[in-house]
């Protein structure tokens, strides 16, 4: 096989026998590539891989200037990540690191086409972009993974027509050997970067939520302080007028009654907001407690309404559960109280509480035989201040179920309501995490 004289003379100096010297040098390069292939199995980061290419391969080949580019997923540019030659003044350092858009320069063009190129004279190629200085020869090889260009191996030399097909084959082999390891490292690093981003976002969201909860707590206290006192004043003056003004007309008495009832409702709303704001600001005092005792306590608290309406409450023994007892009690009490309140006329309420569980949650269903709820309102009833009835029909603030929803979510659970329609009863199902 014939070898070009200029190839041997320019890269591989003659020593006794030019052909022998050339073959010996080729053997050294091939051995370097073999050792590099073995080393790749131990490398995990993109930095280690690209610097291994420059240190273990390019130092064995008499190239003047060599650069490794990798694709940055965020900017979609090809960025210089390792170098051998003038761009590498000290170990693992790149002087004046350059990044190129896909399509810019010879590197960007190869990144776009995925086809390697040898440029014999860069003065004749309008695509050529000088980096640190002008060089007359350039060879550019893509690093391909599943036909995607993930990196570029680029080398330059001051002499024209310096690179040949043998150089191209060596660089293609190095690129091929590096591709899989590089791709795996890039995927891992991009995943770690994404995890870091999401962790930062979650941390920011948590901080924002904590601030919002604190703002809500402060807002509720401001309301409690600033609005309760005027309401007390209104009620005090109404009572005073009713006592002092004997000759009040029936119409005036009716108006004062309206004002008094409205101030009481406002007081209840303020208290509800105050309690609602405290749900997310509790100290970590969750504990294992006996739900049977809690239910008996609720029945005792509602004893007057239960006896007055002849309400029947049926349930079987419950397990001990873990959570904020005072809050979970509030959920059961609100739902049971609603079942008594929204009863059919002249029909005694019947309330059945069922329990089941899966690996992660306790699931409770409270079913009644009351007036039911239209399907269009099944989700809206959990909204703050959402009321389906007027004060004359049923008193309340419209906060009970939104309060329940917040408590259930505080226990990593969900709550839903189901009813086939008016006069068909209602079923409320909610879950409480076991952890």
């Amino acid at each position: 096989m014939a070898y070009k004289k200029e190839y041997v003379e320019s890269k591989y100096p003659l020593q006794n026998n030019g052909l022998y010297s050339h073959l010996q040098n080729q053997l050294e390069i091939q051995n370097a590539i073999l050792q590099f292939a073995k080393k790749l199995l131990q490398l995990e980061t993109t930095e280690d891989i690209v610097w291994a290419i420059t240190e273990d391969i390019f130092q064995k080949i008499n190239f003047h200037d060599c650069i490794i580019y990798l694709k940055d997923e965020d900017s979609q540019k090809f960025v210089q990540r390792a170098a051998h030659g003038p761009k590498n003044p000290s170990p693992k350092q790149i002087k004046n690191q350059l990044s190129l858009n896909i399509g810019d320069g010879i590197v960007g063009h190869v990144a776009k086409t995925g086809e390697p190129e040898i440029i014999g004279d860069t003065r004749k190629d309008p695509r050529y972009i000088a980096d640190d200085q002008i060089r007359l020869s350039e060879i550019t090889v893509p690093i391909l993974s599943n036909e995607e260009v993930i990196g570029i191996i680029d080398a330059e030399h001051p002499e024209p027509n310096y690179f040949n097909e043998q150089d191209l084959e060596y660089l293609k082999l190095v690129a091929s050997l590096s591709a899989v390891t590089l791709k795996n490292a890039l995927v891992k690093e991009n995943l770690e970067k994404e995890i870091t981003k999401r962790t930062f976002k979650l941390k920011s969201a948590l901080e924002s939520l904590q601030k919002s909860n604190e703002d809500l707590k402060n807002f509720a206290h401001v309301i409690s302080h600033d609005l309760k006192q005027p309401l007390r004043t209104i009620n005090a003056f109404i009572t005073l007028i009713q006592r002092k003004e004997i000759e009040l007309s029936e119409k005036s008495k009716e108006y004062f009654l309206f004002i008094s009832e409205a101030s009481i409702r406002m007081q209840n709303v303020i208290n509800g907001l105050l309690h609602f704001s405290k749900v997310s600001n509790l100290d970590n005092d969750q504990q294992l407690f006996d739900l049977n005792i809690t239910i008996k306590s609720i029945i005792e608290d509602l004893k007057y309404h239960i006896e007055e309406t002849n309400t029947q409450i049926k349930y079987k023994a419950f397990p001990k559960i873990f959570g904020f007892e005072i809050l979970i009690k509030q959920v059961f009490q609100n739902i049971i109280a609603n079942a008594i309140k929204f009863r059919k006329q002249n029909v005694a309420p019947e309330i059945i509480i069922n329990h089941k569980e899966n690996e992660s949650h306790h699931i409770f269903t409270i079913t009644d035989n009351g007036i039911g709820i239209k399907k269009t309102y099944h989700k809206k009833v959990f909204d703050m201040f959402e009321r389906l009835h007027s004060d004359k029909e049923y008193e309340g603030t419209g906060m009970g179920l939104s309060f329940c929803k917040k408590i259930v979510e505080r226990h990593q659970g969900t709550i839903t309501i189901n009813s086939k329609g008016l006069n068909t009863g209602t079923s409320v199902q909610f879950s409480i995490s076991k952890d």
Side-chain angles (χ1 to χ4, degrees):
M1 181 177 181
Y3 294 90
K4 290 184 180 179
K5 182 179 179 183
E6 63 269 25
Y7 182 93
V8 176
E9 289 179 346
S10 61
K11 286 188 193 161
Y12 312 104
L14 292 171
Q15 296 176 0
N16 299 326
N17 187 308
L19 178 59
Y20 173 77
S21 175
H22 171 69
L23 291 174
Q24 185 179 35
N25 204 294
Q26 297 294 297
L27 185 60
E28 289 177 1
I29 294 171
Q30 291 172 10
N31 185 59
I33 292 174
L34 177 61
Q35 295 305 315
F36 169 72
K38 293 179 180 179
K39 185 176 181 179
L40 270 177
L41 299 175
Q42 310 300 319
L43 304 178
E44 295 183 355
T45 69
T46 54
E47 183 178 8
D48 288 342
I49 296 166
V50 293
W51 284 108
I53 296 173
T54 61
E55 294 166 0
D56 296 351
I57 300 298
F58 291 148
Q59 288 183 7
K60 304 294 183 181
I61 304 176
N62 192 24
F63 286 1
H64 179 74
D65 173 78
C66 304
I67 304 287
I68 305 295
Y69 293 79
L70 290 183
K71 185 179 180 182
D72 179 74
E73 288 299 324
D74 293 332
S75 66
Q76 291 295 298
K77 291 185 176 183
F78 280 79
V79 182
Q80 292 178 342
R81 294 285 299 273
H84 169 69
K87 291 276 290 184
N88 177 221
S90 57
K92 295 189 177 180
Q93 181 183 357
I94 302 176
K95 184 179 179 181
N96 299 324
Q97 189 178 36
L98 182 70
S99 61
L100 294 171
N101 292 314
I102 296 175
D104 290 352
I106 295 169
V107 168
H109 184 77
V110 170
K112 184 176 181 179
T113 64
E115 297 295 332
E117 290 197 38
I118 297 176
I119 310 302
D121 191 340
T122 58
R123 293 169 296 185
K124 298 177 182 179
D125 196 319
R127 301 172 303 169
Y128 180 73
I129 297 175
D131 188 352
D132 54 333
Q133 65 183 65
I134 296 175
R135 298 183 180 87
L136 301 183
S137 293
E138 184 169 1
I139 184 170
T140 308
V141 175
I143 302 175
L144 294 165
S145 175
N146 295 325
E147 300 184 356
E148 176 194 2
V149 180
I150 61 173
I152 297 288
I153 299 176
D154 183 68
E156 296 184 11
H157 197 276
E159 299 176 13
N161 301 309
Y162 181 78
F163 301 108
N164 57 42
E165 292 298 323
Q166 185 65 67
D167 297 320
L168 182 63
E169 290 305 314
Y170 282 146
L171 294 188
K172 285 169 66 176
L173 179 57
V174 171
S176 178
L177 289 171
S178 309
V180 174
T181 310
L182 257 180
K183 181 63 177 179
N184 289 339
L186 284 168
V187 168
K188 181 181 177 182
E189 289 174 10
N190 288 331
L191 182 59
E192 289 173 348
K193 196 184 299 182
E194 184 64 25
I195 290 172
T196 301
K197 283 182 183 178
R198 294 193 179 191
T199 301
F200 176 77
K201 287 182 179 179
L202 285 172
K203 185 179 178 182
S204 298
L206 180 60
E207 290 174 353
S208 177
L209 180 61
Q210 289 173 338
K211 185 179 183 305
S212 295
N213 284 336
E214 190 61 33
D215 289 344
L216 177 59
K217 183 180 178 182
N218 293 336
F219 172 69
H221 282 294
V222 168
I223 287 178
S224 176
H225 181 270
D226 292 352
L227 293 185
K228 278 185 177 181
Q229 187 56 48
L231 286 173
R232 291 192 191 101
T233 303
I234 291 171
N235 283 327
F237 273 101
I238 289 173
T239 303
L240 184 62
I241 291 171
Q242 288 173 333
R243 287 177 181 175
K244 297 291 185 181
E245 300 295 333
I246 301 173
E247 297 181 358
L248 282 174
S249 68
E250 291 302 317
K251 202 67 176 175
S252 295
K253 291 179 180 178
E254 184 181 355
Y255 290 157
F256 280 123
L257 181 62
F258 287 157
I259 295 171
S260 180
E261 289 176 348
S263 66
I264 292 171
R265 287 197 299 273
M266 187 64 181
Q267 182 78 44
N268 290 336
V269 169
I270 292 170
N271 290 334
L273 279 172
L274 196 58
H275 290 307
F276 190 80
S277 71
K278 290 179 179 178
V279 174
S280 297
N281 293 281
L282 291 171
D283 294 329
N284 190 23
D285 58 356
Q286 296 184 79
Q287 59 184 357
L288 192 69
F289 65 94
D290 190 337
L291 187 58
N292 298 287
I293 297 175
T294 304
I295 296 296
K296 288 178 181 178
S297 174
I298 292 170
I299 292 173
E300 186 63 30
D301 291 342
L302 298 174
K303 183 178 180 180
Y304 172 77
H305 297 291
I306 291 172
E307 291 179 353
E308 183 185 41
T309 58
N310 294 317
T311 298
Q312 297 292 318
I313 300 177
K314 300 177 182 179
Y315 62 93
K316 294 182 179 179
F318 294 114
K320 290 185 177 181
I321 64 174
F322 184 78
F324 296 97
E325 182 179 5
I326 188 171
L327 295 183
I328 293 174
K329 177 182 178 181
Q330 192 67 53
V331 173
F332 278 96
Q333 186 159 322
N334 277 348
I335 297 172
I336 293 171
N338 276 350
I340 297 172
K341 181 196 296 186
F342 299 108
R343 61 189 181 276
K344 294 177 187 175
Q345 191 172 5
N346 301 320
V347 177
E350 291 183 2
I351 302 169
I352 301 173
I353 308 174
N354 287 318
H355 166 266
K356 61 182 180 180
E357 58 186 287
N358 55 32
E359 291 182 0
S360 59
H361 286 78
H362 293 286
I363 302 167
F364 300 95
T365 305
I366 302 178
T367 304
D368 65 53
N369 64 338
I371 62 173
I373 302 173
K374 288 183 179 179
K375 190 173 183 179
T376 52
Y377 295 112
H378 285 187
K379 291 184 179 180
K380 295 183 74 174
V381 293
F382 294 106
D383 295 340
M384 181 78 79
F385 303 120
E386 184 66 42
R387 301 197 58 197
L388 307 186
H389 308 277
S390 67
D391 288 330
K392 290 182 179 180
E393 293 177 293
Y394 300 97
E395 62 181 27
T397 62
M399 296 179 64
L401 286 176
S402 61
F403 193 29
C404 291
K405 183 173 184 286
K406 189 168 185 179
I407 292 172
V408 168
E409 289 175 348
R410 182 74 171 80
H411 290 81
Q412 293 83 50
T414 59
I415 183 169
T416 57
I417 196 165
N418 185 47
S419 176
K420 294 180 180 179
L422 294 179
N423 297 315
T424 60
T426 303
S427 178
V428 181
Q429 185 175 92
F430 62 93
S431 58
I432 300 293
S433 174
K434 292 182 177 179
D435 299 327

